[in-house]
Amino acid sequence: MAKHLRVFRHTPEHRKKGTMRRRLPEWFVLLLPAFIIMAAVVLIPLVFSLYSSFTPYKLTRPSTLWRWIGTSNYEKILTDVKFWSAFGRTILFLTIALNLELLFGLLIALMVNKVTLGQRTIRTILMFPMMFSPILVGFQFKFIFNDNIGLANNALQALGISDAALPWLVDGKLAMFSIIFAEVWMSTSVFAVLILAGLFAIPRDPLEAAKVDGCTAWQTFRHITLPFLMPFIFIALTIRSLDVARAYDIVQIMTGGGPAGRTELIWTLMSRTGYVDARMGLANAMGYVSILLSIAFTIYFFKKLSAARSELGFGDKI
Amino acid sequence: MNRSQTHRSRRRILKALHLLGLFLIMALICIPGLWIVLNSFRPTVEILAKPPVWTPTFTLEHYRAMFGGAGEGGVPVFHYFSNSLIVSVASTVIAIFIGMGGGYAFARYRFRFKNGYFVGLMLFRAVPGVALSLPLFIVFAQVGLIDTHIGLILVYVAMNVPFTIWLTDGFFRQIPKEFHEAAEIDGCTRWQAFWKVEFPVARSGVASAAIFAFLTSWNEFALASQLTRSVGSKTMPVGLLDFTAEFTINWGGMCALAVLMIIPALVLTFIVQKHLIAGLTFGGVKG
């Protein structure tokens, strides 16, 4: 049918354009601006940094850019205890944060879904943390967890729960807790909002059939609600995995990787190596490891998303 | 009789727990933000008071200082605000146009390596800002784009294009092909058919992509902190650092600037709230 129409439209004027377009197909013309901007802003710097990760490049001595030292930077990283502990801590941090966000998001969505009065208002409040800049979240919780004047300690002391001031950002374990708290505060709403949207879209029939058949609330949730929510959960995870590195802003502000490197993540270590020590080559090598980490997360969740989608018959693309 | 009574009391307990849980969650979400707003109106003495003062006094001291001259602890708020606004709006508009073109191409055309291109674009988005900022800084320094609006706009366009493509692709896919075919039979060109028929249907997807692009640019810090140097291009998130000295932070002033930073994001999100959720779910899940 479409072919037929196209033939019908072939006036001389169109044919002229047609030959032009045969060289550059329409989809390519449409995608070209996107390709150009991505190449200029992301690809070229990445290629440059890949090259410089094989040199001992120091910002202070530009001539070092032309000395090829092979994989020496990577070897240095791979044998560096500080790097590996930062790497492991990053994985741990992301695993804990993402799981908590998912769990809380699901809980919040289920609770809000049950509300009959003022649901719109609650949903609006839920989106509140999404508007906060990560760096602002960092400052906000640095303020709240300040051991001297912070809200957390003031409240604990006023309620008589604790006499002494807790060193939230000074003690290693508490500092880790604090940055995870900030991260979860910032990102749980993405999960809650998306899962809530999934709950709204759930078809009524299977739920009613389950009720008629005498399913318990848990069985209904486990076998009907949850499978239906899976694509929504994975889309939230995919969106999150695209910018897991936002945690850099928070950690940089709240602890700067301290105390004594106890909250050092791969991103803070990289920025310190690059900007403070000016060892660009080494930092770019670390950057590549962090890029691979982000990409692994993204691909993993994308795969899960497409699997969940095709299971529900939403189509099989990506 | 007895059984129905225990049943009823159990339900009442559950209901109470539900309300309590909701209340706690809402409190946890709201209190940190409200704390910032509250402290922007409190005098510094009171913020630093030990033991804490629980009955706040109201003052506009921090706002006055912030808008005042440099000698009074003022910061160039108007510059930061306008830099942020120019960069965010420009990058959002450009990213939406580029992204819409890309989304349309993915939704409507068949071509080789389509999935490959798509995943490739998404992976570019996944590159962490910090990792990109090191090489980008050097490249931009070579071409003289450090400390300019254009430099930041370019970066944010690149950050927002992949996500825009993803969302709009899902939306265009929802629209039956018959729509634009019918319009073309009626004498529209492909271009006219897009703007008159397909664009209006996909509007809420575009709106949600736009709000996400705006929020990303408005809130971005890791790249902006490296690519801006002076008042001429520093954005609000970078401006927040003006209130930090080596060992002390001017909390009141910082809170005041933070409030100014949140207001536009808040207003904008409320306006397009409905589109936001629809855009995410339809664009992503069913795309």
Side-chain angles (χ1 to χ4, degrees), chain A residues 2-22 26, chain B residues 184:
Chain A
K3 225 176 202 174
H4 201 71
L5 283 174
R6 202 154 284 162
V7 173
F8 186 69
R9 282 192 299 124
H10 265 215
T11 57
E13 197 193 23
H14 273 102
R15 195 170 301 141
K16 214 174 178 183
K17 267 189 188 164
T19 50
M20 268 263 298
R21 278 189 195 147
R22 208 162 295 143
E26 273 176 54
Chain B
E184 282 180 64

mmCIF file of all heavy atoms in Angstrom, chain A residues 2-22 26, chain B residues 184:
data_model
loop_
_atom_site.group_PDB
_atom_site.id
_atom_site.type_symbol
_atom_site.label_atom_id
_atom_site.label_comp_id
_atom_site.label_asym_id
_atom_site.label_seq_id
_atom_site.Cartn_x
_atom_site.Cartn_y
_atom_site.Cartn_z
ATOM 1 N N ALA A 2 1.796 1.288 0.923
ATOM 2 C CA ALA A 2 2.653 2.463 1.035
ATOM 3 C C ALA A 2 3.495 2.629 -0.230
ATOM 4 O O ALA A 2 3.677 3.742 -0.736
ATOM 5 C CB ALA A 2 3.557 2.325 2.249
ATOM 6 N N LYS A 3 3.963 1.524 -0.751
ATOM 7 C CA LYS A 3 4.761 1.530 -1.966
ATOM 8 C C LYS A 3 3.976 2.143 -3.112
ATOM 9 O O LYS A 3 4.445 2.964 -3.879
ATOM 10 C CB LYS A 3 5.146 0.095 -2.303
ATOM 11 C CG LYS A 3 6.602 -0.064 -2.705
ATOM 12 C CD LYS A 3 6.903 -1.515 -2.915
ATOM 13 C CE LYS A 3 8.394 -1.767 -2.788
ATOM 14 N NZ LYS A 3 8.691 -3.182 -2.844
ATOM 15 N N HIS A 4 2.741 1.727 -3.173
ATOM 16 C CA HIS A 4 1.841 2.192 -4.192
ATOM 17 C C HIS A 4 1.738 3.716 -4.146
ATOM 18 O O HIS A 4 1.851 4.390 -5.168
ATOM 19 C CB HIS A 4 0.471 1.573 -3.918
ATOM 20 C CG HIS A 4 -0.396 1.557 -5.127
ATOM 21 N ND1 HIS A 4 -0.152 0.727 -6.189
ATOM 22 C CD2 HIS A 4 -1.486 2.279 -5.443
ATOM 23 C CE1 HIS A 4 -1.069 0.934 -7.113
ATOM 24 N NE2 HIS A 4 -1.895 1.877 -6.684
ATOM 25 N N LEU A 5 1.547 4.243 -2.953
ATOM 26 C CA LEU A 5 1.388 5.682 -2.775
ATOM 27 C C LEU A 5 2.647 6.418 -3.223
ATOM 28 O O LEU A 5 2.580 7.444 -3.864
ATOM 29 C CB LEU A 5 1.141 6.015 -1.297
ATOM 30 C CG LEU A 5 -0.266 5.725 -0.807
ATOM 31 C CD1 LEU A 5 -0.337 5.954 0.677
ATOM 32 C CD2 LEU A 5 -1.258 6.611 -1.536
ATOM 33 N N ARG A 6 3.791 5.856 -2.876
ATOM 34 C CA ARG A 6 5.035 6.534 -3.174
ATOM 35 C C ARG A 6 5.214 6.658 -4.684
ATOM 36 O O ARG A 6 5.621 7.690 -5.189
ATOM 37 C CB ARG A 6 6.196 5.767 -2.541
ATOM 38 C CG ARG A 6 7.395 6.646 -2.359
ATOM 39 C CD ARG A 6 8.267 6.166 -1.248
ATOM 40 N NE ARG A 6 7.710 6.494 0.052
ATOM 41 C CZ ARG A 6 8.085 5.904 1.169
ATOM 42 N NH1 ARG A 6 8.980 4.949 1.126
ATOM 43 N NH2 ARG A 6 7.570 6.260 2.325
ATOM 44 N N VAL A 7 4.878 5.620 -5.397
ATOM 45 C CA VAL A 7 4.955 5.663 -6.853
ATOM 46 C C VAL A 7 4.041 6.769 -7.372
ATOM 47 O O VAL A 7 4.409 7.561 -8.227
ATOM 48 C CB VAL A 7 4.521 4.306 -7.449
ATOM 49 C CG1 VAL A 7 4.440 4.390 -8.955
ATOM 50 C CG2 VAL A 7 5.505 3.233 -7.033
ATOM 51 N N PHE A 8 2.887 6.856 -6.765
ATOM 52 C CA PHE A 8 1.885 7.811 -7.179
ATOM 53 C C PHE A 8 2.388 9.253 -7.019
ATOM 54 O O PHE A 8 2.055 10.124 -7.802
ATOM 55 C CB PHE A 8 0.633 7.591 -6.314
ATOM 56 C CG PHE A 8 -0.544 8.412 -6.725
ATOM 57 C CD1 PHE A 8 -1.186 8.158 -7.917
ATOM 58 C CD2 PHE A 8 -0.995 9.441 -5.915
ATOM 59 C CE1 PHE A 8 -2.276 8.910 -8.294
ATOM 60 C CE2 PHE A 8 -2.078 10.195 -6.295
ATOM 61 C CZ PHE A 8 -2.731 9.930 -7.481
ATOM 62 N N ARG A 9 3.232 9.460 -6.033
ATOM 63 C CA ARG A 9 3.686 10.823 -5.737
ATOM 64 C C ARG A 9 4.855 11.271 -6.607
ATOM 65 O O ARG A 9 5.310 12.399 -6.483
ATOM 66 C CB ARG A 9 4.089 10.929 -4.266
ATOM 67 C CG ARG A 9 2.926 11.039 -3.330
ATOM 68 C CD ARG A 9 3.398 11.427 -1.955
ATOM 69 N NE ARG A 9 4.313 10.439 -1.403
ATOM 70 C CZ ARG A 9 5.527 10.742 -0.979
ATOM 71 N NH1 ARG A 9 5.973 11.961 -1.073
ATOM 72 N NH2 ARG A 9 6.296 9.801 -0.466
ATOM 73 N N HIS A 10 5.368 10.380 -7.423
ATOM 74 C CA HIS A 10 6.596 10.720 -8.128
ATOM 75 C C HIS A 10 6.406 11.725 -9.242
ATOM 76 O O HIS A 10 6.491 11.418 -10.420
ATOM 77 C CB HIS A 10 7.250 9.453 -8.663
ATOM 78 C CG HIS A 10 8.287 8.933 -7.741
ATOM 79 N ND1 HIS A 10 9.424 8.329 -8.169
ATOM 80 C CD2 HIS A 10 8.371 8.946 -6.395
ATOM 81 C CE1 HIS A 10 10.163 7.963 -7.140
ATOM 82 N NE2 HIS A 10 9.524 8.338 -6.044
ATOM 83 N N THR A 11 6.182 12.972 -8.882
ATOM 84 C CA THR A 11 6.234 14.059 -9.841
ATOM 85 C C THR A 11 7.707 14.356 -10.076
ATOM 86 O O THR A 11 8.546 13.924 -9.288
ATOM 87 C CB THR A 11 5.547 15.294 -9.252
ATOM 88 O OG1 THR A 11 6.201 15.601 -8.027
ATOM 89 C CG2 THR A 11 4.077 15.035 -9.007
ATOM 90 N N PRO A 12 8.058 15.065 -11.180
ATOM 91 C CA PRO A 12 9.479 15.328 -11.454
ATOM 92 C C PRO A 12 10.193 15.942 -10.257
ATOM 93 O O PRO A 12 11.316 15.571 -9.933
ATOM 94 C CB PRO A 12 9.413 16.314 -12.622
ATOM 95 C CG PRO A 12 8.128 16.048 -13.283
ATOM 96 C CD PRO A 12 7.187 15.546 -12.233
ATOM 97 N N GLU A 13 9.506 16.882 -9.590
ATOM 98 C CA GLU A 13 10.131 17.555 -8.452
ATOM 99 C C GLU A 13 10.523 16.561 -7.372
ATOM 100 O O GLU A 13 11.603 16.607 -6.825
ATOM 101 C CB GLU A 13 9.142 18.564 -7.901
ATOM 102 C CG GLU A 13 9.789 19.606 -7.008
ATOM 103 C CD GLU A 13 8.753 20.380 -6.235
ATOM 104 O OE1 GLU A 13 7.631 19.854 -6.049
ATOM 105 O OE2 GLU A 13 9.041 21.481 -5.821
ATOM 106 N N HIS A 14 9.586 15.648 -7.119
ATOM 107 C CA HIS A 14 9.848 14.658 -6.090
ATOM 108 C C HIS A 14 10.997 13.738 -6.465
ATOM 109 O O HIS A 14 11.762 13.319 -5.622
ATOM 110 C CB HIS A 14 8.606 13.800 -5.836
ATOM 111 C CG HIS A 14 7.701 14.404 -4.829
ATOM 112 N ND1 HIS A 14 6.565 15.064 -5.189
ATOM 113 C CD2 HIS A 14 7.787 14.490 -3.486
ATOM 114 C CE1 HIS A 14 5.983 15.513 -4.103
ATOM 115 N NE2 HIS A 14 6.691 15.183 -3.044
ATOM 116 N N ARG A 15 11.052 13.439 -7.772
ATOM 117 C CA ARG A 15 12.058 12.480 -8.193
ATOM 118 C C ARG A 15 13.447 13.060 -7.958
ATOM 119 O O ARG A 15 14.370 12.383 -7.532
ATOM 120 C CB ARG A 15 11.865 12.114 -9.661
ATOM 121 C CG ARG A 15 12.648 10.864 -10.036
ATOM 122 C CD ARG A 15 12.259 10.365 -11.401
ATOM 123 N NE ARG A 15 10.853 10.036 -11.507
ATOM 124 C CZ ARG A 15 10.127 10.305 -12.583
ATOM 125 N NH1 ARG A 15 10.649 10.899 -13.632
ATOM 126 N NH2 ARG A 15 8.854 9.977 -12.631
ATOM 127 N N LYS A 16 13.567 14.372 -8.191
ATOM 128 C CA LYS A 16 14.836 15.031 -7.968
ATOM 129 C C LYS A 16 15.271 14.840 -6.506
ATOM 130 O O LYS A 16 16.370 14.427 -6.217
ATOM 131 C CB LYS A 16 14.676 16.516 -8.269
ATOM 132 C CG LYS A 16 15.929 17.137 -8.859
ATOM 133 C CD LYS A 16 15.615 18.558 -9.253
ATOM 134 C CE LYS A 16 16.792 19.295 -9.813
ATOM 135 N NZ LYS A 16 16.422 20.693 -10.117
ATOM 136 N N LYS A 17 14.339 15.131 -5.589
ATOM 137 C CA LYS A 17 14.629 14.941 -4.171
ATOM 138 C C LYS A 17 14.930 13.474 -3.887
ATOM 139 O O LYS A 17 15.800 13.150 -3.109
ATOM 140 C CB LYS A 17 13.437 15.363 -3.323
ATOM 141 C CG LYS A 17 13.527 16.807 -2.872
ATOM 142 C CD LYS A 17 12.423 17.079 -1.871
ATOM 143 C CE LYS A 17 12.326 18.543 -1.528
ATOM 144 N NZ LYS A 17 11.059 18.849 -0.885
ATOM 145 N N GLY A 18 14.149 12.614 -4.574
ATOM 146 C CA GLY A 18 14.300 11.178 -4.358
ATOM 147 C C GLY A 18 15.714 10.708 -4.622
ATOM 148 O O GLY A 18 16.265 9.960 -3.828
ATOM 149 N N THR A 19 16.314 11.186 -5.692
ATOM 150 C CA THR A 19 17.669 10.742 -5.997
ATOM 151 C C THR A 19 18.652 11.265 -4.964
ATOM 152 O O THR A 19 19.584 10.588 -4.581
ATOM 153 C CB THR A 19 18.124 11.222 -7.395
ATOM 154 O OG1 THR A 19 17.862 12.615 -7.472
ATOM 155 C CG2 THR A 19 17.425 10.468 -8.488
ATOM 156 N N MET A 20 18.387 12.479 -4.488
ATOM 157 C CA MET A 20 19.224 13.019 -3.421
ATOM 158 C C MET A 20 19.161 12.120 -2.199
ATOM 159 O O MET A 20 20.167 11.803 -1.591
ATOM 160 C CB MET A 20 18.703 14.403 -3.009
ATOM 161 C CG MET A 20 19.343 15.539 -3.749
ATOM 162 S SD MET A 20 20.671 16.249 -2.806
ATOM 163 C CE MET A 20 19.786 16.829 -1.362
ATOM 164 N N ARG A 21 17.949 11.743 -1.883
ATOM 165 C CA ARG A 21 17.771 10.979 -0.654
ATOM 166 C C ARG A 21 18.257 9.553 -0.791
ATOM 167 O O ARG A 21 18.465 8.892 0.214
ATOM 168 C CB ARG A 21 16.293 10.977 -0.262
ATOM 169 C CG ARG A 21 15.949 12.244 0.473
ATOM 170 C CD ARG A 21 14.577 12.169 1.041
ATOM 171 N NE ARG A 21 14.162 13.510 1.415
ATOM 172 C CZ ARG A 21 12.930 13.939 1.358
ATOM 173 N NH1 ARG A 21 11.970 13.130 0.949
ATOM 174 N NH2 ARG A 21 12.606 15.163 1.717
ATOM 175 N N ARG A 22 18.373 9.101 -2.023
ATOM 176 C CA ARG A 22 18.835 7.734 -2.143
ATOM 177 C C ARG A 22 20.280 7.639 -1.664
ATOM 178 O O ARG A 22 20.708 6.641 -1.130
ATOM 179 C CB ARG A 22 18.718 7.262 -3.598
ATOM 180 C CG ARG A 22 18.528 5.763 -3.689
ATOM 181 C CD ARG A 22 17.991 5.346 -5.042
ATOM 182 N NE ARG A 22 16.653 5.856 -5.277
ATOM 183 C CZ ARG A 22 16.221 6.275 -6.467
ATOM 184 N NH1 ARG A 22 17.009 6.253 -7.507
ATOM 185 N NH2 ARG A 22 15.004 6.707 -6.611
ATOM 186 N N GLU A 26 16.660 8.776 4.654
ATOM 187 C CA GLU A 26 16.001 9.707 5.579
ATOM 188 C C GLU A 26 16.366 9.438 7.030
ATOM 189 O O GLU A 26 16.593 10.360 7.803
ATOM 190 C CB GLU A 26 14.488 9.629 5.406
ATOM 191 C CG GLU A 26 13.967 10.543 4.330
ATOM 192 C CD GLU A 26 12.481 10.370 4.117
ATOM 193 O OE1 GLU A 26 11.730 10.469 5.102
ATOM 194 O OE2 GLU A 26 12.074 10.109 2.971
ATOM 195 N N GLU B 184 -0.782 12.262 4.396
ATOM 196 C CA GLU B 184 -0.056 12.442 3.139
ATOM 197 C C GLU B 184 -0.983 12.278 1.947
ATOM 198 O O GLU B 184 -0.811 12.933 0.926
ATOM 199 C CB GLU B 184 1.114 11.462 3.070
ATOM 200 C CG GLU B 184 2.290 11.925 3.924
ATOM 201 C CD GLU B 184 3.461 10.972 3.877
ATOM 202 O OE1 GLU B 184 4.050 10.803 2.801
ATOM 203 O OE2 GLU B 184 3.784 10.382 4.922
#
